[in-house]
Amino acid sequence: MAPAIATGSHTDAIPFSGKYDGVVGVLGAIEAINALNRTGFKPRRSLEVIMFTSEEPTRFGISCLGSRLLAGLPNMKSSLERVVDKDNISFPDAAAIAGYEFALETLLEVPLKEDTYAAFVELHIEQGPILEEEGIAIGIVTAIAAPASLKVDFRGDGGHAGAVLMPSRNDAGLAAAELALAVEKHVLETQSADTVGTTGVLELYPGAVNSIPSAAHIEIDIRDIDEQRRNSVIQHIKVSASEIATRRHVHLDFQIVTQDPPAASSQKIVKAIESASQQLGLTSKHMISRAYHDSLFMARVSPMGMIFIPCYRGYSHRPDEFASREDLSNGIKVLALSLLALSSDL
Amino acid sequence: MAPAIATGSHTDAIPFSGKYDGVVGVLGAIEAINALNRTGFKPRRSLEVIMFTSEEPTRFGISCLGSRLLAGLPNMKSSLERVVDKDNISFPDAAAIAGYEFALETLLEVPLKEDTYAAFVELHIEQGPILEEEGIAIGIVTAIAAPASLKVDFRGDGGHAGAVLMPSRNDAGLAAAELALAVEKHVLETQSADTVGTTGVLELYPGAVNSIPSAAHIEIDIRDIDEQRRNSVIQHIKVSASEIATRRHVHLDFQIVTQDPPAASSQKIVKAIESASQQLGLTSKHMISRAYHDSLFMARVSPMGMIFIPCYRGYSHRPDEFASREDLSNGIKVLALSLLALSSDL
């Protein structure tokens, strides 16, 4: 049997976010296949919908857990044995609590064979402002930027905010504040519009107004379409973290959690999306995805392509994330016609 | 009847802290009175033990809630109506949940009359390293430093850490990081060893590694033995917060939660503690309390004095906070003899 054509995305979300990121690509996939069914179309390859789990790194700091495992990424077992959530619950314990006691063993059996899918296509909101600003209906993703994430912990002696005088302090919170600003500085020093860096998590311990922070935990996200430039920013951040820890007499734990290479779309899928847009009379443009997606990892085991639709002001990971009915409809139609083309061809 | 003599402290604690801060002054007060009872001593004035609630500002950001109310501080009603905890639960709601439905009305009836107590004496660990380093058994507090606390909120647009490019960002977390470092800078600029400033709380929202912080909440503690110098530091911090908010295009909410004046001990009580130490053959020294205490507010309605005992390395607000059996015993004996002297005299 010829390898199938797959489409899908994820339905998990970060806290306090919107309802379009991911969900559009799952419900849209089902609707696209329904639409093809309604026309009486008979594909020559099977069409499959995938709903990935834990695309967002919220709980364990590892993004795209489902697609990483399907893609058979190396070192997943040791990563999953090591990670803990913010309540210090390990991944194996969390899996057991959720009723998946043998998760680690069985998870390692899930990687797809390279010829499982002839194509994977993901429909997604842009999560950026370009399509809306330029009035374009469809973004055709040609590559996904290379993401990396870091976890940094500083530890000092803490103490009472009134009683410990300034020269006797080694404040872990101020070390973290300096590093967050250093992340911004090193990203801006690249003078590249395509390099972004974010300190999205900064937690102080014990976190009381009258206590000097004895520990600070920060998580940093760095992305670029140029993998080498991104890795160079990570090195600069690491040097800054060491310098800050030495100067402020705090202990440093610096961990690179993920450091993934970029992925290029399949030319065949790019062309299928282009043709579909043209058939529907929709404007389209080629784009880089600066956000990462399950497609980044699916690209390792399948030809990959992505369809972007505009979203309100480029907002994402916010409650006011929004895509219009018309843009959703356009995206689903383009997906349906792309699946039709890809599944017709043996 | 002659006004009574009171002694006591608090038993609440910040998260992840020790078991001596406050507790020593409550259990020590009971033991001191027990010891006086065992000798058959008959006081000419009543001896009372007070156990204060919520000395630590952990939940609502207001320190010394019990003693502030007993002292009849102004604006307590409006403060308590306005404050919320980190889960956005108001003080009146929290009181109702705890079974004190009419708390706000009844709380305003608790202020002491000025002649209720002829003296208030508080036994406490030093929460600093001086007594231990100098090998001195008893610290006699002559004044309590003037504390202030600030709450600052920055709000920006947030967004996806991959998709929003650096020039389009207004990162509330980086504004907070800058302000935490500005607090340290303004304190050090006073070039006074007695000025301290701490950013003990720094919280990011939504707090996900792949989201640009759309909001940051920080809480700052500033203290000095010189009230004017402390107030000048607060002004500098306020100017920095505005400058940061303008430059980073974030919304600023700056609130001075408390800004209390310092308090001087009663000379009569200082002399009673001196005499008690001498009778027991204990070394003693006069000290400033850089930590605040319920005594700071009791000083408004009663003559006030404090007895400090050494604690391990000056550690406090940490799990390894510790005072030795011998130092505890010395402190309780000095308290007992001080209460004896103060309650013998009509």
Side-chain angles (χ1 to χ4, degrees), chain A residues 28 36 80 93 97 118 141 160 212 216 253 265 302 312:
Chain A
L36 291 178
L80 291 176
D93 285 349
I97 290 164
V141 173
H160 188 287
I212 301 161
D253 182 28
S265 298
S302 165
Y312 172 65

Side-chain angles (χ1 to χ4, degrees), chain A residues 14-16 21 55-58 61 126-129 149-150 156-167 169 171 173-178 180-181 183-184 187-188 192-213 219-221 223 248 290-292 314-319, chain B residues 14-16 21 55-58 61 126-129 149-150 156-167 169 171 173-178 180-181 183-184 187-188 192-213 219-221 223 248 290-292 314-319:
Chain A
I14 64 158
F16 314 112
D21 173 5
E55 193 261 356
E56 305 290 357
T58 313
E126 181 198 343
Q127 302 183 285
S149 64
L150 317 175
D157 291 317
H160 188 287
V164 184
L165 302 187
M166 301 304 279
R169 297 182 175 203
D171 185 323
L174 295 179
E178 277 199 51
L181 293 167
V183 168
E184 183 188 44
V187 167
L188 294 176
S192 149
D194 293 322
T195 317
V196 289
T198 309
T199 301
V201 173
L202 196 166
E203 293 163 353
L204 301 184
Y205 180 97
V209 62
N210 54 358
S211 280
I212 301 161
E219 298 185 17
I220 300 163
D221 180 297
R223 305 180 195 208
R248 288 193 175 270
R290 297 177 198 283
Y292 59 74
Y315 290 166
S316 187
H317 285 193
R318 302 171 32 144
Chain B
I14 65 159
F16 314 111
D21 173 5
E55 194 261 358
E56 306 290 358
T58 314
E126 182 198 340
Q127 301 183 287
S149 65
L150 317 175
D157 292 316
H160 190 287
V164 184
L165 301 187
M166 299 305 280
R169 297 183 177 202
D171 185 324
L174 295 179
E178 277 200 50
L181 293 167
V183 168
E184 182 188 44
V187 168
L188 294 177
S192 149
D194 293 321
T195 317
V196 290
T198 309
T199 301
V201 174
L202 196 165
E203 293 164 352
L204 302 185
Y205 181 95
V209 61
N210 54 357
S211 280
I212 299 162
E219 298 185 17
I220 300 163
D221 179 298
R223 306 179 195 207
R248 287 194 175 269
R290 296 177 197 285
Y292 59 75
Y315 290 166
S316 188
H317 285 194
R318 303 171 32 145

